[in-house]
Amino acid sequence: MKKVMLVCVIFLLVGCAEKEEYQNVVLEQMKGDKDINDYKIAPEKMTKCVVQTSSSNMPGLFFLDPLRRQAYKNYTKMLQLNKASDPKKSLDELRHEFGDAKKLSEAHSNYVESVVDCMSNLVSSTEETQNK
């Protein structure tokens, strides 16, 4: 029984690693975003929203699902494309990992739409709080 619990805990931690890495990369993006700073949105709050929103449109049913774990890895790599030593090679790898250029484009759109939706919602809620 202890071995089964240990395996479950290890599996859970490994599954969380991909999501945590994705969150860290998103947080890095949010900290450097001028609009987020201008609207005085907490990068951590924005990150939580973006990860949650974008995750809901990723393959896989839950964060331990192998498809979801791979999606987190792929999204992380996609967001770090500008830091790659060979961006063209990394882009080709991303196309392959996502399945094709169309699926990569859909993933990028998912991320961008999540950022826009979250920013809109957080700015609106901030303005409502200030008006009260």
Side-chain angles (χ1 to χ4, degrees):
M1 183 66 176
K2 287 183 180 181
K3 289 181 182 180
V4 171
M5 288 295 281
L6 180 63
V7 169
C8 289
V9 169
I10 290 171
F11 187 65
L12 184 65
L13 291 174
V14 170
C16 292
E18 288 88 0
K19 184 176 183 181
E20 189 172 319
E21 186 176 356
Y22 176 57
Q23 285 175 317
N24 290 337
V25 171
V26 172
L27 179 60
E28 184 180 315
Q29 297 266 325
M30 297 304 116
K31 285 181 177 178
D33 190 293
K34 185 179 179 333
D35 290 330
I36 291 172
N37 291 325
D38 289 348
Y39 284 109
K40 295 180 176 66
I41 299 171
E44 295 80 9
K45 195 172 188 177
M46 183 70 175
T47 297
K48 183 178 179 182
C49 180
V50 170
V51 169
Q52 184 176 9
T53 305
S54 63
S55 294
S56 67
N57 293 318
M58 286 181 184
L61 301 174
F62 54 97
F63 76 97
L64 290 177
D65 185 322
L67 291 174
R68 179 66 56 92
R69 291 176 58 205
Q70 186 61 44
Y72 284 134
K73 288 179 186 178
N74 293 345
Y75 273 64
T76 300
K77 190 172 182 177
M78 177 180 70
L79 294 177
Q80 294 176 321
L81 185 61
N82 62 344
K83 294 181 179 181
S85 58
D86 186 354
K88 183 180 177 345
K89 180 181 175 188
S90 294
L91 185 59
D92 290 339
E93 289 172 2
L94 278 171
R95 285 184 187 123
H96 176 73
E97 289 170 10
F98 276 99
D100 59 27
K102 182 179 183 221
K103 289 181 182 171
L104 173 58
S105 176
E106 290 169 354
H108 188 263
S109 293
N110 177 37
Y111 176 76
V112 171
E113 288 171 12
S114 297
V115 170
V116 171
D117 289 347
C118 288
M119 184 172 293
S120 174
N121 291 336
L122 291 172
V123 167
S124 295
S125 67
T126 302
E127 288 176 355
E128 287 175 12
T129 303
Q130 290 175 348
N131 289 335
K132 289 181 180 180

